[in-house]
Amino acid sequence: MGARITLVRGDITTQEVDAIVNAANSGLLGGGGVDGAIHRAGGPAILEECRQLRATTLRDGLPTGQAVATTAGNLPARHLIHTVGPVYATSTDRTELLVSAYRESLRVADELGARTVAFPAISAGVYGWPMDDAARIAVETTGSTPTAVEEVRFVLFGDEAYTAFTRAAEHAG
């Protein structure tokens, strides 16, 4: 049984949850969009732990569709889960990599004992995934993935994302 899905319009860096999911790039060293906002709000402890991962177990970076946890630094969460979503391409179906990013994030959340997890719309920003399809995949995947997580909270920045996720959640029942 999947987790209960809730939708919030707002800033993921302010969510008081057990774990926040970061839509990271494979380098794990910060970037734009959600990734940059999380690194800025969370402070230097996150970047330091990411640098340690890059120097040891993730020398080549975090592969697309995978997830890893670090400290949440100054964020109001106990843990930060970094996942790398795929860049959208019309020539190649990368849906399974996007599904994997959500599943792997939930798997890591389970390992951490997290019961509430805040997700952004993975791959729907600068990675170009069409918002309606990104929302459908996110809602279907988190709703059908076996997990001990009790609440998956999609924290959506902007009306387009909130509307798309609302439609996807209504369609999923």
Side-chain angles (χ1 to χ4, degrees), residues 22 24-31 35 39 46-51 53-54 58 61-63 67-68 70 81-84:
N22 180 21
N25 60 54
S26 63
L28 293 179
L29 302 179
D35 191 20
H39 274 271
I46 296 169
L47 183 58
E48 181 54 37
E49 202 166 324
C50 286
R51 284 189 173 130
L53 286 169
R54 287 299 310 275
L58 295 172
L62 183 63
V68 66
T70 66
I81 299 170
H82 306 265
T83 191
V84 181

Side-chain angles (χ1 to χ4, degrees), residues 131-149:
M131 188 61 73
D132 285 330
D133 195 45
R136 177 190 61 77
I137 292 166
V139 169
E140 287 178 2
T141 301
T142 57
S144 66
T145 300
T147 180
V149 171

Side-chain angles (χ1 to χ4, degrees), residues 85-86 94-103 122-123 129 134 137:
R94 297 180 174 160
T95 302
E96 278 307 309
L97 288 170
L98 185 52
V99 167
S100 179
Y102 285 104
R103 283 191 184 137
I122 298 169
S123 290
W129 207 284
I137 292 166

Side-chain angles (χ1 to χ4, degrees), residues 9-22:
R9 186 184 280 122
D11 179 353
I12 199 165
T13 67
T14 65
Q15 299 300 304
E16 294 182 15
V17 291
D18 293 332
I20 291 174
V21 175
N22 180 21

Side-chain angles (χ1 to χ4, degrees), residues 74-132:
N74 300 328
L75 296 170
R78 293 202 337 256
H79 307 282
L80 182 59
I81 299 170
H82 306 265
T83 191
V84 181
V87 174
Y88 182 76
T90 54
S91 60
T92 310
D93 184 1
R94 297 180 174 160
T95 302
E96 278 307 309
L97 288 170
L98 185 52
V99 167
S100 179
Y102 285 104
R103 283 191 184 137
E104 286 296 303
S105 295
L106 288 171
R107 180 189 60 76
V108 171
D110 283 341
E111 288 176 358
L112 297 169
R115 295 295 173 258
T116 55
V117 180
F119 279 91
I122 298 169
S123 290
V126 295
Y127 283 10
W129 207 284
M131 188 61 73
D132 285 330

Side-chain angles (χ1 to χ4, degrees), residues 5 7 102 119-122 124 131-132 134-136 138-139 154 156 160-170:
I5 294 172
L7 307 177
Y102 285 104
F119 279 91
I122 298 169
M131 188 61 73
D132 285 330
R136 177 190 61 77
V139 169
F154 287 106
L156 306 158
E160 180 194 7
Y162 188 81
T163 300
F165 274 75
T166 299
R167 277 194 303 266
E170 288 169 353

